[in-house]
């Protein structure tokens, strides 16, 4: 049982890493904060499509990762 949970934890962590790395940056760095700060506040957000899918996958995998980590520590230690 512990091995199966560890494998699922490994898969969730790999998917979490990949989904975070594939996401587009939401900030422009220092130049964006000086020049285009209002654009970020009042601009359109991409609520549909690829970015939304990656955001949802990241959230789900993060929850799975945290729950599995806590379950493995609580049950098997």
């Amino acid at each position: 049982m512990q091995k199966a949970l560890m494998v699922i934890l490994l898969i969730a962590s790999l998917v979490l890493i990949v989904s975070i790395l594939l996401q587009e940056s939401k900030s422009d760095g220092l130049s964006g904060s000086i020049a285009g700060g209002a654009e970020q506040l009042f601009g359109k957000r991409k609520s549909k499509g690829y970015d939304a899918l990656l955001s949802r996958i990241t959230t789900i995998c993060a929850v799975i990762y945290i729950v599995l980590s806590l379950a493995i520590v609580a049950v098997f230690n």
Side-chain angles (χ1 to χ4, degrees), residues 22-33:
L22 286 176
Q23 287 182 12
E24 187 175 321
S25 176
K26 291 185 175 51
S27 68
D28 294 328
L30 183 60
S31 65
S33 65

Side-chain angles (χ1 to χ4, degrees), residues 17-44:
I17 291 169
V18 169
S19 67
I20 289 172
L21 289 176
L22 286 176
Q23 287 182 12
E24 187 175 321
S25 176
K26 291 185 175 51
S27 68
D28 294 328
L30 183 60
S31 65
S33 65
I34 294 171
E39 207 173 292
Q40 185 178 12
L41 288 175
F42 302 112
K44 290 190 274 185

Side-chain angles (χ1 to χ4, degrees), residues 44-59:
K44 290 190 274 185
R45 287 293 219 181
K46 295 179 182 177
S47 61
K48 295 182 182 176
Y50 185 67
D51 290 335
L53 178 66
L54 283 176
S55 177
R56 194 167 295 142
I57 289 172
T58 302
T59 304

Side-chain angles (χ1 to χ4, degrees), residues 1 7-8 10 13-14 17 21-22 25 32 36 38-39 45 49 51 53 56 59-61 67 69 75:
M1 181 70 173
V7 169
I8 295 170
L10 176 68
S13 65
L14 290 175
I17 291 169
L21 289 176
L22 286 176
S25 176
E39 207 173 292
R45 287 293 219 181
D51 290 335
L53 178 66
R56 194 167 295 142
T59 304
I60 291 170
C61 285
V67 169
S69 297
V75 173

